[in-house]
Amino acid sequence: MAPIALEDEDHIRDAAFNKVLHGKSAEEKAGLRAMLKKDPVAQKAAIDEYFKHWDNKLAGVETAEVREARKAEYATLTRHYYNLATDLYEYGWGASFHFCRFAYGEGFYQAIARHEHYLAHVMGLKDGMKVLDVGCGVGGPAREIAKFTGANIVGLNNNDYQIDRAESYAVKEGLAQQIAFAKGDFMQMSFPPNVFDAVYAIEATVHAPSLEGVYSEIFRVLKPGGVFGVYEWLMTDKYDNDNAHHREVRLGIEQGDGISNMVKIPEALQAIQRAGFVLEQHEDLADRPDARPWYYPLDANLRMASSIGDVITIARMTSLGRFCVHNLVGVLEMVGIAPKGTRKTANSLGVAADCLVAGGKEKLFTPMYLMVARKPKA
């Protein structure tokens, strides 16, 4: 593996910025109310820092130098993306920031939980195991897997705001003794070697500048014989980087989801094995013949919803739902209630949603490439 330049960590700087930008909004209920309580000057700084990598850098003129610049600032890019997008994610999707498969008649949140349970099942997570969640978000999967398996979970995250929210939720659900959260960059973890029984990542390691780099760090902190399970975001073999439309789909997903460098399936398989793992199982779960596709909540097809509750949930994610929220946010910006740049962030998420649907329908992209691998005992 070619050496990867890692960003210098500055937890004091990040904590101070988090305090200024978010204030006490981590204590608010998820959604729009928390989003409206941001410091406007800090919000503008986050907007400028994030979108400098995307403004006027369209797929048709994208260069290798542009992509390398994003990779060089992978941690800052990801941190500010979630500074801007977390409240919108929780409003639109819930506390588990990932896609899932849908069985016939299965409710949205039931399907989300089943996707988490399935990963825990194929990994063999059990009561009392010490497990690392790499890129834990606001802790939705960690809480669900802790309750499902009885495992003790440490969630790793490089965004202070998400950690604050995750800790608040854990206390609320009575899980603070079973789940802990740590600030850090998953490319340079502070944990000692050979400390975790298992490690999982749910749609998180896609933010790494190098999959081999992050998988190697995971290998280091796993005990010999330990298991690693991941749902990875990847472009499929059908993706052709010389195809302008394909590049637009890929770049739309990357910009709207804080990704510096998304790669194809063969590269991920090679990366996990080069990191030292023995690959035990791998499959694109998006290819399973499910009753409804993984992208249906973003596809404005309310007929696929299984209940009135799901109709209400999914309506927020449709094109019309997003249009209404984005325009409401625009009005709130104009009158000074919402901080400037909130609508720009929401619009970027909307572009990503459309590109995710296109990538799913055209089989160019998968958000659920499952890999289960083990660190050899010796």
Side-chain angles (χ1 to χ4, degrees):
M1 176 182 71
I4 298 296
L6 303 178
E7 282 196 70
D8 292 334
E9 293 191 277
D10 189 337
H11 292 189
I12 295 174
R13 174 204 62 196
D14 296 345
F17 186 83
N18 174 62
K19 184 176 181 180
V20 173
L21 173 60
H22 298 290
K24 295 184 177 180
S25 61
E27 301 169 7
E28 294 286 348
K29 292 184 179 179
L32 296 179
R33 193 160 69 176
M35 186 177 66
L36 300 178
K37 294 193 172 183
K38 310 303 180 186
D39 178 82
V41 175
Q43 174 93 350
K44 183 180 185 304
I47 288 281
D48 292 345
E49 186 65 31
Y50 181 70
F51 282 100
K52 74 180 185 182
H53 291 290
W54 311 103
D55 287 344
N56 303 315
K57 295 179 174 68
L58 302 178
V61 295
E62 184 186 46
T63 64
E65 290 75 19
V66 167
R67 293 187 68 77
E68 287 301 316
R70 291 200 288 266
K71 288 167 65 177
E73 297 188 6
Y74 67 95
T76 299
L77 183 148
T78 302
R79 185 170 58 256
H80 281 308
Y81 172 75
Y82 284 111
N83 276 332
L84 299 169
T86 293
D87 296 323
L88 290 165
Y89 269 41
E90 289 199 66
Y91 164 76
W93 201 264
S96 290
F97 301 168
H98 63 80
F99 292 102
C100 63
R101 298 167 56 209
F102 292 96
Y104 176 80
E106 188 174 40
F108 177 79
Y109 292 113
Q110 180 185 3
I112 287 284
R114 181 170 63 87
H115 200 58
E116 295 160 1
H117 296 172
Y118 183 74
L119 182 61
H121 167 69
V122 296
M123 291 176 63
L125 301 188
K126 293 181 174 59
D127 185 62
M129 291 177 71
K130 186 174 182 179
V131 179
L132 177 64
D133 178 337
V134 173
C136 64
V138 297
R143 295 191 299 276
E144 187 64 35
I145 290 173
K147 289 181 283 190
F148 180 68
T149 66
N152 298 303
I153 298 178
V154 176
L156 179 68
N157 197 318
N158 85 334
N159 182 278
D160 296 83
Y161 179 60
Q162 289 196 338
I163 291 174
D164 289 344
R165 293 193 71 81
E167 290 177 339
S168 177
Y169 288 134
V171 170
K172 180 180 178 181
E173 296 187 23
L175 293 168
Q177 300 304 311
Q178 192 179 350
I179 306 176
F181 298 95
K183 170 68 183 287
D185 176 359
F186 54 30
M187 293 292 292
Q188 46 186 332
M189 300 184 205
S190 60
F191 307 115
N194 309 320
V195 69
F196 292 102
D197 299 303
V199 179
Y200 68 82
I202 299 179
E203 302 185 20
T205 45
V206 66
H207 293 292
S210 160
L211 289 183
E212 186 177 345
V214 68
Y215 294 165
S216 294
E217 270 294 275
I218 289 168
F219 184 90
R220 183 184 65 81
V221 301
L222 260 179
K223 294 177 181 178
V227 63
F228 170 45
V230 58
Y231 289 137
E232 194 63 83
W233 279 31
L234 295 166
M235 305 309 292
T236 70
D237 288 337
K238 291 186 178 181
Y239 174 80
D240 177 5
N241 200 56
D242 293 327
N243 182 306
H245 169 66
H246 289 192
R247 289 200 308 275
E248 287 178 2
V249 169
R250 189 255 303 152
L251 189 63
I253 294 172
E254 290 177 333
Q255 174 178 335
D257 291 289
I259 300 165
S260 65
N261 184 51
M262 193 156 50
V263 300
K264 295 175 70 170
I265 291 171
E267 184 169 331
L269 293 172
Q270 184 179 67
I272 202 166
Q273 293 175 90
R274 283 185 172 177
F277 285 104
V278 176
L279 191 60
E280 296 184 342
Q281 178 179 350
H282 66 96
E283 176 189 3
D284 185 357
L285 296 181
D287 286 340
R288 294 276 187 101
D290 293 319
R292 295 167 289 173
W294 61 265
Y295 52 80
Y296 105 83
L298 302 176
D299 196 27
N301 193 343
L302 295 177
R303 291 174 298 176
M304 289 188 177
S306 61
S307 68
I308 296 298
D310 276 3
V311 169
I312 295 171
T313 298
I314 292 164
R316 297 197 295 263
M317 310 177 212
T318 63
S319 298
L320 178 60
R322 286 184 267 124
F323 175 83
C324 293
V325 172
H326 296 186
N327 280 281
L328 170 62
V329 168
V331 171
L332 294 176
E333 278 192 27
M334 287 177 61
V335 298
I337 296 175
K340 298 291 185 182
T342 305
R343 183 173 182 175
K344 183 174 185 177
T345 302
N347 288 342
S348 180
L349 292 176
V351 170
D354 293 337
C355 289
L356 286 162
V357 171
K361 287 184 173 181
E362 298 172 40
K363 299 290 187 181
L364 302 175
F365 163 81
T366 176
M368 54 185 69
Y369 198 88
L370 170 67
M371 292 183 284
V372 180
R374 194 168 299 276
K375 180 174 182 177
K377 290 185 177 180

